[in-house]
């Protein structure tokens, strides 16, 4: 192995040194419990609220609208289940989401269906854009919450959240967006989006795993998911993970600072895309328009072979990629996202996601372009599907 290239940043990211530096004092000197009344506790409480304000500033929110969680999945669960409970108390027992959401959203909605809620799963077009007309048709005064992700984790589609939020509010429904993939890749402002709730996760923006946040607009009073000792203004029980929260605050600031660099990330992605599409029998999954796709996201379908085999052979060359969401990697089923966009089952199985970041270099792209084509050739030479297609003169 002559080089290491990490192109799976949508799954998780390396922890930044600046984030570690921000965290360290809260492991060693400032280790108090923010709920304690003594000096150590007050010191921790001050830091906690300063971190809350720093994160809020990065999102265009107020400090009191930020609540800390353990991860993006917890934030998704809290937002949707909390909004559903609030809605049920008002006779609202309907939820709208999309077919391409993260499983933390889809499985939460499935659980609520078992609890008596009706859920509408709206479709998407071939590029992954949510069908807004379906939302307009499905929504009613019985709708408690509309839950649509800001940007898709597999194909990078950036959804029209502000437009959807206006539709939700016109019918008295809450608007929630999972912005886990969007934060750090595109500007995210809760006021501009018009959302009532927004989820984010630290490990997607260079913190350790185990810290997330949920924005809840002032005046929105959803039910608690975790009850406890009154932390987070009585809304989320459990002693706050102060070192990780401090790391999240620094990571959010760094994410905002590097947004101008994402144009260069997009240029590297486009070069990778253009060269890979020169390989016969390949196709682009997701949006064609650069501005409608996350800058570091590229999803390519390689016909007649398996994405898992591509990933394993690239790993042997020191290149990390994925075949879709890391949270579904144990499943042998093709991506639900790709199937929802109309990608055939067999081509969905041969799709690979490359997710690069501002740490990715031109030399990294060169290395992928050097190692990947021979992998595709090797796998196709072993593929019965490829042989059958050649024998039938389909290729």
């Amino acid at each position: 192995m002559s080089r290491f290239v990490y192109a799976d940043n949508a799954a998780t990211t390396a922890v930044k040194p600046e984030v570690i530096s921000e965290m360290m004092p809260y492991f060693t000197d400032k280790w108090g419990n923010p709920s304690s009344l003594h000096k150590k506790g007050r010191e921790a409480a001050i830091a906690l609220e300063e971190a809350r304000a720093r994160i809020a500033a990065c999102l265009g929110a107020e400090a009191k609208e930020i609540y800390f969680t353990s991860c993006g999945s917890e934030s998704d669960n809290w937002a949707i289940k909390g909004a559903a409970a609030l809605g049920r108390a008002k006779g609202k027992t309907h939820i709208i989401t999309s077919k391409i959401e993260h499983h933390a959203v889809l499985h939460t909605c499935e659980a609520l269906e078992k609890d008596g809620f009706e859920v509408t799963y709206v479709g998407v077009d071939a590029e992954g854009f949510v069908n807004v007309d379906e939302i307009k048709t499905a929504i009613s005064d019985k709708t408690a919450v509309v839950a649509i992700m800001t940007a898709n984790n597999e194909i990078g589609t950036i959804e029209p959240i502000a437009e959807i939020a206006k539709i939700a509010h016109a019918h008295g429904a809450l608007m929630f967006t999972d912005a886990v993939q969007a934060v750090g890749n595109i500007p995210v402002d809760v006021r501009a989006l018009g959302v009532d709730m927004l989820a984010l996760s630290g490990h997607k923006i260079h913190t350790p795993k185990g810290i997330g946040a949920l924005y809840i607009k002032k005046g929105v009073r959803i039910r608690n998911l975790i009850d406890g000792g009154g932390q987070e203004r009585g809304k989320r029980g459990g002693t706050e993970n102060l070192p990780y929260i401090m790391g999240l605050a620094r990571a959010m600031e760094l994410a905002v600072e590097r947004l101008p660099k994402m144009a260069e990330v997009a240029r590297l992605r486009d070069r990778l895309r253009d060269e890979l599409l020169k390989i016969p029998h390949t196709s682009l999954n997701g949006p064609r328009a650069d501005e409608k796709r996350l800058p570091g996201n590229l999803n390519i379908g390689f016909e007649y072979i398996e994405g898992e085999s591509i990933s394993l052979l690239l790993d042997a060359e020191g290149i990390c990629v994925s075949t879709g969401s890391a949270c579904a990697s144990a499943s042998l089923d093709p991506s639900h996202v790709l199937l929802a966009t109309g990608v055939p089952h067999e081509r969905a199985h041969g799709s690979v996601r490359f997710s690069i970041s501002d740490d990715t270099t031109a030399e990294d792209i060169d290395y992928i372009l050097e190692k990947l084509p021979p992998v595709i050739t090797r796998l196709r030479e072993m593929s019965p599907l490829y042989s059958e297609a050649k024998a039938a003169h389909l290729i």
Side-chain angles (χ1 to χ4, degrees):
M1 187 187 301
S2 58
R3 189 181 183 92
F4 175 75
V5 175
Y6 187 73
D8 197 19
N9 287 276
T12 197
T13 55
V15 182
K16 292 282 189 184
E18 300 96 323
V19 171
I20 295 174
S21 295
E22 184 89 17
M23 295 171 64
M24 286 308 296
Y26 299 90
F27 286 116
T28 55
D29 300 322
K30 303 176 182 180
W31 40 260
N33 186 329
S35 297
S36 299
L37 298 179
H38 49 62
K39 182 178 179 180
K40 272 293 183 196
R42 294 195 303 273
E43 178 183 61
I46 290 170
L48 175 66
E49 295 313 313
E50 287 177 349
R52 198 186 307 277
R54 291 163 62 188
I55 293 167
C58 294
L59 296 171
E62 296 181 19
K64 290 185 178 181
E65 296 175 314
I66 302 299
Y67 297 85
F68 296 113
T69 65
S70 64
C71 60
S73 292
E74 182 192 330
S75 296
D76 288 346
N77 272 259
W78 183 9
I80 297 171
K81 290 177 179 176
L86 178 64
R88 173 174 272 168
K90 300 176 181 179
K92 295 174 175 284
T93 56
H94 178 232
I95 296 167
I96 295 175
T97 190
S98 84
K99 294 179 180 179
I100 65 166
E101 298 297 311
H102 189 276
H103 283 111
V105 169
L106 292 176
H107 291 171
T108 296
C109 289
E110 290 168 9
L112 287 167
E113 283 185 286
K114 296 175 182 177
D115 197 30
F117 282 85
E118 177 190 357
V119 180
T120 299
Y121 299 90
V122 299
V124 297
D125 67 15
E127 296 186 346
F129 293 103
V130 169
N131 190 321
V132 175
D133 287 336
E134 277 192 45
I135 295 177
K136 291 178 180 178
T137 300
I139 198 166
S140 72
D141 293 341
K142 291 286 188 179
T143 305
V145 59
V146 178
I148 304 293
M149 65 196 338
T150 310
N152 186 263
N153 51 309
E154 293 192 32
I155 57 175
T157 309
I158 301 171
E159 303 291 353
I161 296 302
E163 179 184 358
I164 296 170
K166 290 178 182 177
I167 297 168
H169 293 153
H171 289 81
L174 293 174
M175 179 68 202
F176 165 65
T177 189
D178 176 335
V180 166
Q181 291 292 332
V183 170
N185 287 296
I186 59 174
V188 174
D189 185 296
V190 294
R191 305 298 183 216
L193 292 174
V195 296
D196 300 294
M197 298 172 288
L198 178 146
L200 63 90
S201 177
H203 79 100
K204 308 294 187 179
I205 55 170
H206 303 285
T207 78
K209 300 156 193 68
I211 184 65
L214 179 64
Y215 157 79
I216 306 176
K217 185 179 179 180
K218 184 169 60 178
V220 174
R221 295 179 174 83
I222 62 171
R223 181 173 295 179
N224 293 1
L225 180 68
I226 300 176
D227 293 303
Q231 295 87 356
E232 295 300 284
R233 298 184 300 285
K235 298 301 294 179
R236 197 270 189 184
T239 300
E240 291 92 349
N241 188 351
L242 188 57
Y244 282 46
I245 288 169
M246 300 309 297
L248 180 61
R250 186 67 186 121
M252 288 290 291
E253 292 168 342
L254 291 171
V256 172
E257 291 173 10
R258 69 171 173 269
L259 284 176
K261 299 179 181 178
M262 299 313 289
E264 175 58 26
V265 174
R267 282 191 287 271
L268 290 175
R269 175 206 61 196
D270 292 348
R271 177 168 167 256
L272 181 61
R273 175 199 63 201
D274 294 345
E275 292 300 319
L276 291 183
L277 290 178
K278 292 178 182 178
I279 299 173
H281 314 298
T282 61
S283 55
L284 177 67
N285 298 318
R288 274 59 180 167
D290 293 344
E291 71 276 9
K292 297 297 181 71
R293 187 184 199 114
L294 291 176
N297 175 281
L298 179 64
N299 194 304
I300 299 287
F302 300 92
E303 293 187 51
Y304 307 112
I305 51 179
E306 295 285 333
E308 289 81 3
S309 299
I310 299 170
S311 177
L312 289 171
L313 289 180
L314 287 179
D315 185 44
E317 299 288 354
I319 300 170
C320 299
V321 299
S322 74
T323 56
S325 172
C327 296
S329 62
S331 172
L332 295 178
D333 294 331
S335 161
H336 72 285
V337 173
L338 295 180
L339 294 180
T341 65
V343 173
H345 191 284
E346 61 275 10
R347 187 154 63 82
H349 263 306
S351 293
V352 174
R353 180 186 66 187
F354 305 84
S355 47
I356 63 175
S357 74
D358 61 306
D359 291 326
T360 306
T361 66
E363 291 75 20
D364 290 335
I365 301 300
D366 290 340
Y367 189 67
I368 294 173
L369 293 173
E370 174 192 345
K371 296 298 181 180
L372 182 55
V375 164
I376 302 303
T377 299
R378 176 183 172 188
L379 290 173
R380 283 179 175 164
E381 288 174 348
M382 296 186 294
S383 168
L385 293 175
Y386 189 69
S387 298
E388 290 171 9
K390 285 180 68 176
H393 303 291
L394 299 176
I395 56 176

